[in-house]
Amino acid sequence: MNKANFCLMLILLLSFAVLNAGTMTVSEFELEVWRLSNIERERYSLPSLAYDNGLAELARLHSRNMLSYGFFAHKDHNGDEVAQRRSKYYPNLLIVSIGENLGKFKNSAKIFHPQDLVNGWMQSPRHRENLLNPNYTHLGIGLVFKGETLYATQVFSTPIAKLLSQLPKKINAKKTYRLSFEYLSKQEATKLCATLIYPDKNLSYKVSEDKEMVGAQPIPIRWKSSTSFEVDIPFLAGKGNYQLCFGFGGGYYPEGLILKAK
């Protein structure tokens, strides 16, 4: 999985009176930053980033933690970076890559403008690289204001699919579970493939008379529409931690959905 994380600290000495935290809700401010980010991409003939509320929650969590625990870094107070936070708090999103831009903005007048956040990132080569990355397809924004300080987090991602089904608290290894997903990738749907990684990496699955997989099995995909599909998960290797992974053209990405069968 690819990841790119960058920090930016700007001291804003001027008062910007057009839009500020006092005349916009935090949610409106975040959405304006998203809109302005897409305007920058459009200037370079890049596709717009879709807004994802789950990524926005990840971004807000990190901004809140930076404020609460007094740090400004991609690694949080638990030692996690954005990839680990995605695994912990947003495991339903199956991804190819993820990246993060951070900003800490200060203004003695306690007034902030969404355009200044985007300008600051665009003027920094490494932040600009994330914002103009042609491979990213989704974005979430998380902002926290306190006095003259604003913490801002952008979380970029290239997701494949999002789990829609509610997993039971306990998965019975003797049962087969049907899982529904929303398809989010820009890749052709016909190229999508699913692989279930076994807890026992030495166990073989017979694919055909003359072919077998070791430590995993292919999982058929049933398309319900162009943006939704289902898979049936059997736990043929017995109890343990399985991982459902997706990929294209026969391969798979390692950032899969963990399924703990008991």
Side-chain angles (χ1 to χ4, degrees):
M1 180 190 68
N2 299 320
K3 64 176 183 178
N5 306 324
F6 304 115
C7 302
L8 172 72
M9 182 180 292
L10 291 181
I11 308 299
L12 305 180
L13 300 178
L14 300 177
S15 296
F16 302 100
V18 181
L19 295 174
N20 58 67
T23 59
M24 303 179 74
T25 67
V26 174
S27 178
E28 289 170 342
F29 201 110
E30 290 169 344
L31 290 175
E32 182 65 6
V33 172
W34 165 58
R35 187 185 73 84
L36 294 170
S37 296
N38 276 331
I39 287 176
E40 294 296 337
R41 289 176 64 88
E42 288 167 10
R43 288 175 179 165
Y44 292 86
S45 300
L46 295 171
S48 295
L49 300 169
Y51 199 75
D52 186 88
N53 288 321
L55 294 177
E57 283 300 317
L58 273 186
R60 291 186 196 109
L61 172 67
H62 194 58
S63 291
R64 287 196 298 265
N65 283 339
M66 287 193 292
L67 173 63
S68 298
Y69 293 94
F71 68 92
F72 180 60
H74 294 285
K75 185 175 289 188
D76 64 23
H77 59 295
N78 293 316
D80 294 328
E81 295 194 7
V82 64
Q84 290 74 44
R85 289 192 290 275
R86 198 281 316 165
S87 297
K88 280 186 177 180
Y89 306 115
Y90 199 13
N92 288 11
L93 190 71
L94 290 307
I95 65 172
V96 173
S97 59
I98 195 164
E100 185 178 72
N101 278 348
L102 302 182
K104 183 178 180 182
F105 302 85
K106 284 184 172 289
N107 183 356
S108 58
K110 303 178 183 179
I111 298 174
F112 303 92
H113 193 302
Q115 186 68 65
D116 293 300
L117 276 66
V118 177
N119 287 348
W121 284 318
M122 285 297 293
Q123 290 166 11
S124 167
R126 300 184 74 184
H127 295 83
R128 176 191 179 98
E129 182 181 336
N130 262 352
L131 214 155
L132 299 182
N133 188 324
N135 296 317
Y136 288 139
T137 58
H138 290 68
L139 174 64
I141 311 288
L143 308 176
V144 174
F145 300 85
K146 185 175 182 181
E148 63 180 34
T149 303
L150 163 61
Y151 286 92
T153 303
Q154 285 183 310
V155 177
F156 304 85
S157 186
T158 311
I160 300 173
K162 183 188 296 185
L163 176 67
L164 301 178
S165 301
Q166 184 69 40
L167 290 173
K169 292 183 179 180
K170 292 184 179 181
I171 297 176
N172 189 336
K174 296 180 180 180
K175 294 183 178 180
T176 296
Y177 291 83
R178 178 164 295 176
L179 303 180
S180 298
F181 292 85
E182 178 185 3
Y183 187 60
L184 298 173
S185 176
K186 300 300 183 183
Q187 295 259 24
E188 288 183 27
T190 55
K191 295 182 179 180
L192 182 69
C193 55
T195 303
L196 185 66
I197 311 300
Y198 289 163
D200 184 350
K201 301 301 185 292
N202 297 312
L203 187 66
S204 296
Y205 176 83
K206 194 170 185 179
V207 179
S208 64
E209 289 297 324
D210 57 355
K211 185 178 179 181
E212 65 179 27
M213 290 183 71
V214 179
Q217 73 174 91
I219 299 293
I221 294 173
R222 288 190 307 279
W223 288 95
K224 308 297 288 183
S225 72
S226 61
T227 58
S228 64
F229 64 90
E230 293 178 339
V231 295
D232 288 339
I233 307 298
F235 298 97
L236 302 182
K239 299 179 181 180
N241 292 346
Y242 293 74
Q243 191 172 24
L244 177 63
C245 298
F246 293 100
F248 301 94
Y252 63 85
Y253 293 95
E255 295 293 318
L257 179 67
I258 303 297
L259 301 168
K260 299 180 180 181
K262 297 181 180 180

